[in-house]
């Protein structure tokens, strides 16, 4: 008799062949066999406590490695929960593969357990959504899902596996053999557009380069760094573009972000998009007549919010090398005027904003502010650590006060502005560090509201022995909350559903006790001295996890902004 193989084993071995290293998920009927088979094939399985956190972790691996990780879900509700991570990955342009179990095919339409139109629903969130046509063709679909996730603009894909396909068998001789999907092909921009770009940059009065997370994903740090160093152009990193070129570089104008955006006359976008994060390229945040040069692998992105002066369609690494080669062909060597009025204006604003921040750090207050907290963190953290940062003010102030000098070392709410990604991202980063950079530390800094989305994943962290330092910046609410006296007054002899403002959380919540409950180290701090001591102790603990719960003034805010950010609310 011909040898046979179960669908779960066929699927797991296909994943391994396609270079899949990690699988995050929650098992149950009908996907238990898939997780067991994945481990047998050498795919590392991380059991999470919620599918949302699992999907966030899988997407972060895609950003860190350039190859998708798997989020494994049970049918129905499990798949629906994973849509959160798929939507986040789609907006961030990160590869991931979601695999959902589903009801047996012969039970479809009968009201089977957790029956749901998963393939159709997943299409809204993915580049490719399919169910294998037969057990022996599973490897074909796995390769196609991986290829779609990393080719062109990266993004999520979905595969649906019915229960009878998972436990069913196929003759080994009939199983389709598909080779590993190669890395995406490198493509270059039109040479005429390259020449036009160089001419525009050389003739600009106030040039600016914006480096986005697309450059980090593309592993383009070497060629981007060479281009910026040789030209002397000022650059502005987006939050997860930080570190492609070191924040501490003399060419970084992050502290003068508003002036750089508002006054630049020619802007080169390298792996960034003119979406809400860059104010759509529109006045008053940008000049009326700004000329934008855009590099993108996705041609439909050109001209989304305003016409591109030059469109460079290609892979970032290849296009930046083309620009450098074009500069090298010029007689002599061109470099932006470092002593001209543009650079002088930017340096003046950088100095001014740094002085404002120093004043906020030195300000004496009864309770700590965000600036006190981040000043202590910045002084304590290792220079090469991976930083996960989310929250409202916690994330925005962290972006400005925590430098990144290495690429792909910052993970935050990203393009979709997703709160609750922190625990999943931190777990993904810790796994990557464990396997590829064991000397690095992972530090996850969150607001108290953001931490609450996935706090139970602390148990996952401890179960897999991942040495992560968590810092919860606790202001008792969303944007801001009450002090204990105000909270007691609001809830005394009244219905809390009517008396507690929507943005308030319970004051002085002891989040560090959660970490202690799972066997880690917890710290509750109220002063800079206590914070400094707890940071020192936690960072010395290189093999265990810690959580520092930092109480700050509930009324603490970021410094006033020159322009309204994103949307306005009269209630904040």
């Amino acid at each position: 008799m011909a040898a046979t193989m179960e669908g779960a084993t066929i699927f797991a071995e296909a994943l391994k062949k396609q270079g899949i290293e990690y699988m995050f998920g929650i098992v149950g009927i009908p996907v238990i066999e898939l997780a067991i088979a994945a481990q047998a094939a050498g795919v590392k399985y991380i059991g999470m406590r919620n599918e949302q956190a699992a999907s966030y972790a899988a997407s972060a691996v895609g950003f860190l490695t350039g190859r998708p990780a798997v989020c494994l879900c049970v049918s129905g509700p499990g798949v629906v929960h994973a849509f959160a991570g798929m939507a986040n990955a789609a907006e961030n342009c990160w590869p991931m593969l979601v695999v959902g179990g589903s009801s047996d095919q012969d039970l479809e339409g009968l009201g089977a357990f957790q029956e749901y139109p998963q393939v159709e629903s997943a299409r809204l969130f993915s580049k490719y959504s399919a169910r294998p046509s037969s057990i022996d063709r599973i490897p074909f679909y796995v390769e196609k899902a991986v290829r779609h996730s990393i080719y062109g603009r990266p993004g999520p894909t979905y595969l649906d596996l019915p229960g009878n396909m998972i436990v069913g068998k196929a003759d080994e001789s009939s199983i389709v053999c598909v080779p590993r999907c190669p890395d995406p092909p490198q493509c270059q921009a039109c040479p005429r557009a390259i020449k036009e770009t160089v001419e525009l940059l050389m003739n600009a009065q106030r040039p600016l380069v914006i480096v986005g997370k697309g450059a980090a994903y593309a592993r383009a740090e070497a060629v981007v760094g060479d281009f910026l160093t040789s030209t002397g152009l000022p650059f502005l990193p987006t939050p997860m573009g930080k570190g492609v070129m070191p924040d501490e570089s003399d060419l970084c104008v992050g502290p003068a972000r508003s002036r750089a955006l508002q006054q630049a006359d020619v802007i080169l976008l390298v792996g960034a998009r003119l979406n809400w994060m860059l104010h759509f390229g529109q006045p008053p945040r940008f000049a009326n007549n700004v000329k934008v040069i855009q590099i993108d692998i996705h041609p439909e992105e050109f001209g989304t919010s305003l016409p591109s002066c030059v469109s460079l369609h290609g892979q970032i690494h290849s296009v930046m090398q083309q620009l450098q080669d074009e500069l090298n062909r010029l007689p002599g060597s061109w470099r932006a005027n470092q002593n001209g009025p543009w650079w002088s204006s930017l340096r003046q604003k950088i100095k001014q904003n740094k002085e404002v921040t120093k004043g906020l750090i030195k300000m004496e207050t009864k309770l700590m502010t965000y600036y006190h907290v981040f000043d202590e963190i910045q002084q304590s953290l290792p220079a090469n650590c991976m930083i996960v940062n989310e929250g409202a003010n916690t994330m925005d102030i962290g972006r400005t006060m925590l430098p990144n000098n290495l690429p792909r070392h910052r993970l935050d709410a990203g393009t979709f502005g997703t709160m609750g990604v922190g625990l999943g991202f931190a777990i993904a980063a810790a796994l990557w560090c464990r396997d590829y950079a064991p000397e690095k530390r992972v530090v996850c800094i969150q607001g108290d509201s953001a931490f609450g989305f996935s706090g139970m994943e602390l148990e996952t962290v401890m179960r897999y022995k991942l040495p992560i330092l968590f810092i919860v910046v606790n202001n008792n609410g969303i944007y801001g909350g009450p002090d204990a006296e105000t909270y007691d007054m609001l809830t005394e002899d009244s219905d809390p559903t009517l008396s507690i403002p929507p943005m308030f959380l319970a004051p002085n919540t002891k989040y560090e006790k959660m970490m202690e409950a799972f066997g880690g180290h917890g710290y509750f701090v109220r002063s800079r001295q206590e914070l400094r001591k707890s940071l020192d102790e936690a960072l010395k603990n290189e093999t265990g996890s810690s959580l520092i719960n930092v109480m700050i003034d509930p009324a603490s805010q970021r410094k006033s902004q020159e322009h309204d950010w994103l949307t306005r609310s009269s209630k904040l």
Side-chain angles (χ1 to χ4, degrees):
M1 295 179 62
T4 60
M5 188 181 294
E6 274 195 352
T9 302
I10 296 171
F11 175 77
E13 293 188 357
L15 289 179
K16 187 66 176 178
K17 192 167 189 176
Q18 294 304 322
I20 303 293
E21 289 189 77
Y22 304 98
M23 175 184 285
F24 303 85
I26 299 176
V27 295
I29 297 171
V31 298
I32 296 173
E33 287 85 358
L34 289 177
I36 294 172
Q39 287 182 312
V43 177
K44 297 164 187 173
Y45 177 80
I46 302 91
M48 307 285 281
R49 302 301 295 263
N50 182 281
E51 288 93 355
Q52 285 192 22
S55 63
Y56 296 145
S59 69
V61 168
F63 175 62
L64 294 173
T65 68
R67 303 288 290 199
V70 170
C71 173
L72 180 66
C73 307
V74 298
S75 50
V79 172
V80 172
H81 291 166
F83 288 162
M86 293 178 73
N88 190 63
E91 292 300 314
N92 279 334
C93 306
W94 292 353
M96 69 179 296
L97 170 57
V98 175
V99 177
S102 59
S103 52
D104 290 4
Q105 290 166 295
D106 60 344
L107 298 178
E108 288 180 343
L110 300 177
F113 176 68
Q114 296 183 335
E115 184 177 354
Y116 190 73
Q118 295 169 186
V119 176
E120 295 86 342
S121 299
R123 287 197 179 103
L124 291 172
F125 306 97
S126 61
K127 295 180 64 180
Y128 174 75
S129 179
R131 171 187 288 180
S133 56
S134 61
I135 297 174
D136 54 6
R137 286 181 57 78
I138 286 175
F140 167 83
Y141 286 87
V142 170
E143 188 277 340
K144 193 168 185 178
V146 170
R147 179 158 38 88
H148 275 69
S149 75
I150 62 176
Y151 277 36
R153 172 177 280 181
T157 55
Y158 175 77
L159 287 179
D160 195 71
L161 290 176
N164 62 304
M165 192 174 288
I166 293 172
V167 299
K169 296 182 179 181
D171 290 345
E172 289 187 10
S173 60
S174 69
I175 298 172
V176 174
C177 181
V178 184
R180 175 185 166 120
C181 171
D183 291 337
Q186 293 290 313
C187 52
Q188 296 184 330
C190 170
R192 185 173 64 253
I194 293 293
K195 291 180 180 291
E196 193 175 348
T197 296
V198 170
E199 290 174 5
L200 278 170
L201 291 172
M202 291 177 63
N203 293 320
Q205 298 297 309
R206 298 177 300 280
L208 177 68
V209 178
I210 298 178
V211 180
K213 68 175 175 289
Y217 176 82
R219 276 78 180 149
E221 53 267 18
V223 66
V224 170
D226 288 346
F227 176 82
L228 291 171
T229 301
S230 65
T231 60
L233 290 168
F235 78 92
L236 177 70
T238 66
M240 279 190 275
K242 286 161 63 70
V244 171
M245 184 75 168
D247 284 350
E248 295 177 352
S249 165
D250 291 339
L251 301 175
C252 179
V253 295
R257 183 180 190 273
S258 292
R259 177 168 293 182
L261 294 178
Q262 195 172 36
Q263 297 185 7
D265 61 351
V266 175
I267 294 176
L268 172 63
L269 288 176
V270 183
R273 292 169 282 171
L274 290 179
N275 52 26
W276 67 273
M277 296 187 76
L278 287 173
H279 316 284
F280 315 105
Q282 302 289 335
R285 300 306 301 267
F286 286 72
N288 275 307
N289 57 350
V290 64
K291 296 178 180 178
V292 175
I293 306 162
Q294 194 168 357
I295 303 172
D296 209 290
I297 192 61
H298 188 64
E300 288 82 357
E301 186 63 36
F302 297 125
T304 295
S305 55
L306 78 166
S308 298
C309 183
V310 182
S311 299
L312 299 170
H313 180 217
Q315 300 279 0
I316 291 173
H317 191 282
S318 297
V319 174
M320 290 303 297
Q321 188 61 58
Q322 285 182 277
L323 291 173
Q324 186 65 59
D325 292 343
E326 181 65 22
L327 284 168
N328 293 340
R329 278 192 285 269
L330 297 174
S333 58
W334 177 81
R335 185 173 171 81
N337 185 357
Q338 303 294 292
N339 299 312
W342 177 227
W343 260 116
S344 296
S345 174
L346 292 173
R347 290 191 183 106
Q348 177 192 38
K349 191 63 175 178
I350 288 171
K351 183 178 179 181
Q352 178 184 333
N353 284 343
K354 285 185 175 180
E355 289 300 319
V356 171
T357 300
K358 286 180 182 178
L360 293 168
I361 292 170
K362 292 179 180 179
M363 184 182 298
E364 294 292 334
T365 57
K366 183 178 180 181
L367 299 173
M368 282 189 291
T369 68
Y370 286 105
Y371 293 91
H372 297 148
V373 171
F374 277 106
D375 181 52
E376 294 294 336
I377 294 173
Q378 188 271 331
Q379 293 183 53
S380 299
L381 292 191
N384 68 343
C385 71
M386 302 273 288
I387 296 174
V388 180
N389 190 198
E390 66 162 333
N393 290 330
T394 301
M395 179 175 65
D396 292 337
I397 297 171
R399 287 170 172 172
T400 62
M401 292 190 66
L402 298 178
N404 287 94
N405 293 315
L406 295 170
R408 298 171 297 282
H409 278 58
R410 179 183 173 86
L411 295 162
D412 68 20
T415 307
F416 211 30
T418 309
M419 290 297 115
V421 296
L423 271 293
F425 282 4
I427 288 169
L431 285 165
W432 182 86
C433 286
R434 184 196 67 183
D435 294 342
Y436 294 98
E439 76 285 357
K440 295 184 186 293
R441 295 300 301 270
V442 175
V443 180
C444 180
I445 308 163
Q446 302 171 275
D448 49 332
S449 173
F451 171 76
F453 280 84
S454 302
M456 272 301 294
E457 297 299 341
L458 290 181
E459 187 275 328
T460 308
V461 170
M462 298 304 296
R463 187 172 4 118
Y464 290 100
K465 302 178 180 179
L466 300 175
I468 303 172
L469 169 56
F470 294 93
I471 302 171
V472 177
V473 184
N474 191 345
N475 67 352
N476 300 334
I478 303 170
Y479 300 107
D483 55 37
E485 184 179 349
T486 301
Y487 186 83
D488 290 342
M489 180 185 68
L490 288 170
T491 55
E492 185 178 6
D493 300 325
S494 63
D495 182 350
T497 63
L498 298 176
S499 63
I500 299 178
M503 294 175 291
F504 283 11
L505 300 174
N508 305 321
T509 301
K510 300 295 184 69
Y511 297 111
E512 77 283 357
K513 296 297 183 183
M514 292 182 64
M515 177 59 85
E516 293 175 2
F518 297 124
H521 298 274
Y523 304 87
F524 183 80
V525 304
R526 291 180 177 271
S527 68
R528 296 187 68 160
Q529 293 78 14
E530 291 175 346
L531 177 56
R532 194 175 307 134
K533 181 181 178 182
S534 62
L535 283 167
D536 183 59
E537 290 182 10
L539 289 169
K540 286 179 179 177
N541 180 18
E542 297 181 356
T543 58
S545 291
S546 304
L547 189 150
I548 305 174
N549 186 12
V550 187
M551 300 306 305
I552 67 169
D553 184 349
S556 177
Q557 296 293 323
R558 62 187 296 187
K559 66 180 182 180
S560 59
Q561 301 297 295
E562 190 174 345
H563 300 281
D564 289 320
W565 181 84
L566 185 59
T567 57
R568 293 176 292 277
S569 174
S570 62
K571 304 300 181 186
L572 294 182

